[in-house]
Amino acid sequence: DDKISDQLGLSVYSRYWKNKPEFNRLINLQRVFGTIVAFPFLKRPLLFIARNNLNLLADAIFGIYFLIWLTFYFNITPRQLISYFTVWFRSAFSDDKSPSAVSIREGDGQLYPDPA
């Protein structure tokens, strides 16, 4: 539906909409799509997650898929991967004021690894 798709962002980092479950279903589908393409045998459970607005689970699946993709595509080391995950997790679930935390909570999804 054009009315719905015009209001969604193009990014998989788009925010969820309060009181608009049809938008959230599309955002969830956007988040699990890469995993469905990579692992077609998971299509049914992933579509169930997307259709039933299991937002946190869809986010987790996207995060895991994205980290695996980063690892293979950019040849990221395990230490870098742990740093990215740590920053994302801390940012998503805290009131941290760092650039990563603000970016993730605002829907940009930019990760800035901890300097170490």
Side-chain angles (χ1 to χ4, degrees):
D1 184 351
D2 289 340
K3 293 177 191 173
I4 295 172
S5 63
D6 287 344
Q7 295 180 44
L8 291 173
L10 295 176
S11 171
V12 292
Y13 300 109
S14 298
R15 303 291 291 169
Y16 288 109
W17 292 67
K18 293 179 182 175
N19 303 320
K20 295 204 178 198
E22 66 277 7
F23 287 0
N24 293 339
R25 282 188 205 99
L26 288 173
I27 292 168
N28 284 337
L29 181 60
Q30 193 177 31
R31 284 188 165 87
V32 301
F33 183 77
T35 308
I36 290 172
V37 171
F39 305 102
F41 64 92
L42 294 175
K43 179 181 175 183
R44 292 185 85 149
L46 292 175
L47 287 178
F48 177 84
I49 289 166
R51 288 182 180 139
N52 290 290
N53 281 327
L54 301 174
N55 303 343
L56 187 57
L57 190 54
D59 283 346
I61 289 166
F62 171 74
I64 292 166
Y65 173 76
F66 185 67
L67 289 174
I68 291 169
W69 180 82
L70 279 176
T71 301
F72 289 105
Y73 188 77
F74 288 109
N75 204 19
I76 291 178
T77 67
R79 181 179 176 158
Q80 290 170 314
L81 193 60
I82 290 168
S83 177
Y84 286 137
F85 177 74
T86 303
V87 168
W88 179 86
F89 191 80
R90 184 179 56 237
S91 300
F93 298 108
S94 73
D95 60 353
D96 188 0
K97 305 282 189 251
S98 71
S100 294
V102 172
S103 177
I104 287 170
R105 284 194 297 271
E106 289 179 356
D108 298 329
Q110 299 298 316
L111 289 176
Y112 305 93
D114 288 336

